[in-house]
Amino acid sequence: MSVFFSKRLALWLALAAPASLLNGCAPAIVEAPAPVEAPKPAKTPRFYDSMAAANAKVDPVSARDMISLYRRNEGRESLTIDPVLMREAQRQADAMAASDKLSHEVRGTLTQRLNAEGLARARAVENVSAGYHTMAEAFSGWRQSKPHNANMLAPGMRRMGIATAYNPNSRFKVFWALVLAD
């Protein structure tokens, strides 16, 4: 190979080879990936909603689900929400908040109150409490109290009503009533 030819080949390789290497290898124009939305935070379960506000209402469906799951785990029946028991629970919670008094009998005995609602033959139990701000707190408190726990697990109960009432001037703030009936 002549010196002239080898210099020419070297020059060609120096100039043409990088171009040929880049031919078809140039970086393609790549669009930036679409922005990925951050995952939405999981919705807080309703049983953690605070009842310490004038317009707060306990969610009866989440309360029923929580208590029914507990009852089923203990071999008891699930509960359904009963409109008559819901009204009775609300009246009881309202009466306790208005009188700033935690009592089963602020409006009469449970039997008297249910008789007045046309439920004279119903077997029923009631939990009342005050000071718990969420359904989760009330449920936990009831579970840890022997009489309240016995009421939540009372055999044969199939219907429920639950309510809260708020009194901002009370040391308790939130009053609870839970009524279970067969």
Side-chain angles (χ1 to χ4, degrees):
M1 184 187 293
S2 74
V3 172
F4 173 77
F5 181 74
S6 58
K7 283 185 181 182
R8 222 171 160 170
L9 179 61
L11 180 63
W12 181 85
L13 286 173
L15 295 175
S20 68
L21 290 174
L22 293 175
N23 187 18
C25 297
I29 298 174
V30 178
E31 291 184 32
V36 177
E37 288 185 35
K40 293 180 181 174
K43 190 173 181 180
T44 303
R46 296 288 315 271
F47 49 81
Y48 291 121
D49 290 352
S50 176
M51 299 294 107
N55 60 349
K57 295 287 180 200
V58 65
D59 177 22
V61 173
S62 65
R64 179 212 50 210
D65 292 349
M66 179 184 281
I67 297 168
S68 288
L69 178 61
Y70 180 54
R71 288 176 57 82
R72 282 193 311 273
N73 286 341
E74 297 294 326
R76 302 296 192 278
E77 305 84 352
S78 292
L79 301 169
T80 60
I81 298 168
D82 183 278
V84 174
L85 297 178
M86 288 294 294
R87 279 193 310 272
E88 176 50 37
Q90 190 63 64
R91 288 182 188 130
Q92 182 66 11
D94 289 343
M96 290 187 299
S99 66
D100 194 16
K101 183 177 181 184
L102 178 61
S103 170
H104 286 279
E105 299 182 356
V106 71
R107 296 178 42 246
T109 66
L110 179 60
T111 300
Q112 292 167 335
R113 291 183 277 129
L114 292 180
N115 286 349
E117 291 291 334
L119 299 173
R121 298 200 182 274
R123 236 179 17 96
V125 294
E126 176 181 62
N127 282 355
V128 296
S129 58
Y132 300 119
H133 286 207
T134 68
M135 177 61 207
E137 290 173 1
F139 175 76
S140 182
W142 291 336
R143 245 186 32 199
Q144 293 173 13
S145 159
K146 277 191 171 189
H148 290 100
N149 191 53
N151 284 346
M152 283 199 304
L153 295 176
M157 301 295 124
R158 290 184 172 80
R159 300 177 290 148
M160 70 167 277
I162 189 167
T164 61
Y166 177 64
N167 178 345
N169 301 315
S170 168
R171 67 185 168 116
F172 299 115
K173 305 292 186 221
V174 182
F175 292 80
W176 293 81
L178 169 68
V179 181
L180 306 180
D182 59 2

